[in-house]
Amino acid sequence: MDCRPGCAACCIAPSISSPMPGLPHGKPAGVPCPHLDEALRCRIFGQPERPAVCGSLQPSEEMCGSNREQAMHWLGHMEQATTPHARATLGHP
């Protein structure tokens, strides 16, 4: 599956704990990555400073849904479910 043009949900909804140019402590959830251009494409795609997590997050029907809003919702839900507080509440280390 290819990325949906103009979506960038995966560059907005999740937090990124890895440092990247301009964000030495990563990016908080729900904040657009500052490396998105006007067309919502990654300016550091394919460059070594791009966080590994960005390259490992591949588009899928489950994650992307049929529109950007569904992708934002799914990724936001996954972000909440994987925060340290949520994992502790669910009994996970």
Side-chain angles (χ1 to χ4, degrees), residues 7-23:
C7 179
C10 60
C11 301
I12 300 169
S15 62
I16 298 174
S17 59
S18 306
M20 66 177 93
L23 296 172

Side-chain angles (χ1 to χ4, degrees), residues 16-63:
I16 298 174
S17 59
S18 306
M20 66 177 93
L23 296 172
H25 303 290
K27 181 193 88 61
V31 174
C33 178
H35 300 291
L36 289 171
D37 67 14
E38 301 77 29
L40 298 177
R41 297 182 55 88
C42 180
R43 289 185 185 112
I44 60 173
F45 185 86
Q47 297 182 20
E49 57 269 20
R50 183 177 181 224
V53 68
C54 296
S56 68
L57 187 59
Q58 297 296 308
S60 69
E61 289 185 33
E62 179 183 22
M63 178 176 76

